[in-house]
Amino acid sequence: MRRQSKLRPHLTILFFLILCGGLTYGRFISDQSYLISDGVHTSSTGVPHFLGLGAAAAEETCEQTYGFMPCTTSGVGNLFLIVVYGYLMFLAAMYLSEGSELLLEILGPGIVGGLFLPVLGALPDAMLILVSGLSGSTETAQSQVSVGMGLLAGSTVMLITVIWGTCIFVGKCDIENHVAIDSQDTKGFSLTGSGISTDIWTSYAGIIMAISVIPFIIVQLPQILNIDSGRHLVVLIALIVSVSLLISYCLYQVFQPLVQRRRLAYAKHKHVISGILKQLKMRALGKLYTEDGKPNVEVLTKIFNTIDNNKDGYLSYEELNGLIVGIQFTQINLDENDTKDKLMRDFDTSHDSRVDLNEFIAGVTKWLDEAKGASSNDSASKKYIEDFHMKTKREHDLLGEVEQSDEIVEGVENPKWTSIKAVLLLLLGTVIAAAFADPLVDAVDNFSSATKIPTFFISFIALPLATNSSEAVSAIIFASRKNSRSASLTFSELYGAVTMNNALCLSVFLGLVYVRGLTWDFSAEVLVILIVCIVMGVFASIRTTFPLWTSFLAFLLYPFSLALVYVLDYVYGWT
């Protein structure tokens, strides 16, 4: 019901905007009107030329998309169309997002969460890129394809600069011992004392994002090496690599939860071991190790006899519970039955479902050796067990829990109706994106002609606001929950969205360039994508806690990207 009430105002606005857009094509009765032109009437006004409203602009005629969509040659008129079509693309992205969420509720993660959702999230961008070079002659496609490149670069840069930095601001918590404390924000805007922490899987997502720029490097090789021959073949190779990366990334998304569960289970078991060693050291009347580094058999025998309640010389499943009683494992969501099974497997080398004294001593010795190997302190120091315990807790926290939703997940009340609604939303979003992508590209191209502003900069700044705004708002709202789980999910989704841009959207773009025989002359734009993705990807790979100062670095990358493209393209003439 909540989703249904949210859709009604959007559908009303959708109808209104389509109606307003339809009125754009036509002419005013008064000859003094110059706001919107149909190419028939002209006017001589004193309007500045950069607005595209003067007589020179009015003398030109505009070509209607599909033969009936509204068009204009004036700057303000095309700006209005960009706003209208941009909002329609925003609605398409929102419907696709809501339909995907409903589908996820019904079918669960796995193929749906790993394959369909990332593809559907990048669909509006892919549609715009596709139509930017699909229609018209080769010359027209070569001119309009810069809209697609601007959108591709703009989406990538906006997500991991402006949105990334904003999420740091709204999600910041106090940092203590290099870790952000959930729901604790008392240090204000301290550049080093407040920030966010993420899990290790978020770092992996950042590394994958950096790897996804490989096709950009491949397609740019002829320009780097200054080779004119074989450029078409290089585009094909880059396309094959890009599609391969897309398939690999989707498979990773499908199977990553399984890998995560296994690694998390192992990290939990290590933490249990460290907790038991800590408990044994507290119970022991002497050192667990002798002076020569060998296990203290006398002390371990006393501990064994203490745990062996029935004094039969063996430890049963129930008696192993004595090892974990009193150990606080509430923070790691411990399953005690599973823990006892794993303890039995660690100790029971004879596989008779019980542990004798020799097996107990051998098992504890193995654990102590592991603790000594993991600690930076000397083995004779009393701190190496505490160090091991803290390290295993940190490893567990970095991995995070598999179920990272803070909300209560309930069963779907009406699966049939929910399925129908999900399909209808997905169809509606796809139809809107397919129908209005081409008119939006034409409006951007016409606005560029009217204002003399390069299409790349228009699409770089304006179009990502339409196609990625729902993702951006969702990420910011989720980050504002101020805990590491929400931060991990937020930044993983941002890195994932950029990876899909670099895989799916680039594959579409390279396919257009190859099939239509277009020229690849986007050196400056590629350089911007490489710099931003690699810088932020390396940043994510080397740290899991991001103080507030890192957000300023991200913010600065956005104007830097625009300035770099302008200087390289229009000052030095890069191609």
Side-chain angles (χ1 to χ4, degrees), residues 221-290:
L221 285 177
Q223 282 84 349
I224 296 173
L225 301 176
N226 197 23
I227 300 174
D228 293 327
S229 61
R231 294 195 174 194
H232 201 54
L233 177 61
V234 172
V235 171
L236 177 60
I237 295 172
L239 174 60
I240 294 172
V241 173
S242 183
V243 172
S244 300
L245 286 176
L246 173 62
I247 295 172
S248 300
Y249 179 67
C250 290
L251 291 175
Y252 170 78
Q253 289 289 88
V254 171
F255 293 107
Q256 185 259 359
L258 176 61
V259 177
Q260 184 177 357
R261 280 193 291 270
R262 289 181 175 178
R263 288 196 58 180
L264 182 61
Y266 178 68
K268 283 184 178 181
H269 184 54
K270 282 181 65 177
H271 189 56
V272 168
I273 291 172
S274 67
I276 292 174
L277 288 177
K278 190 175 179 182
Q279 190 81 349
L280 292 178
K281 194 183 78 168
M282 293 173 59
R283 290 186 181 185
L285 299 177
K287 292 182 179 180
L288 298 177
Y289 266 106
T290 60

Side-chain angles (χ1 to χ4, degrees), residues 38 124 236 291 299 316 393 454 554-555:
D38 60 358
L236 177 60
E291 295 299 330
V299 171
S316 63
K393 178 64 170 64
F555 287 140

Side-chain angles (χ1 to χ4, degrees), residues 267-339:
K268 283 184 178 181
H269 184 54
K270 282 181 65 177
H271 189 56
V272 168
I273 291 172
S274 67
I276 292 174
L277 288 177
K278 190 175 179 182
Q279 190 81 349
L280 292 178
K281 194 183 78 168
M282 293 173 59
R283 290 186 181 185
L285 299 177
K287 292 182 179 180
L288 298 177
Y289 266 106
T290 60
E291 295 299 330
D292 58 356
K294 295 181 180 179
N296 193 327
V297 176
E298 181 181 353
V299 171
L300 293 178
T301 300
K302 290 179 180 179
I303 296 173
F304 178 88
N305 292 331
T306 302
I307 301 172
D308 183 16
N309 294 325
N310 60 7
K311 307 303 178 184
D312 64 348
Y314 296 96
L315 300 182
S316 63
Y317 273 100
E318 290 73 20
E319 288 170 332
L320 281 177
N321 191 56
L323 284 173
I324 58 177
V325 169
I327 305 176
Q328 298 297 320
F329 288 128
T330 55
Q331 294 181 345
I332 66 168
N333 192 24
L334 182 67
D335 184 336
E336 290 191 8
N337 291 328
D338 182 61
T339 300

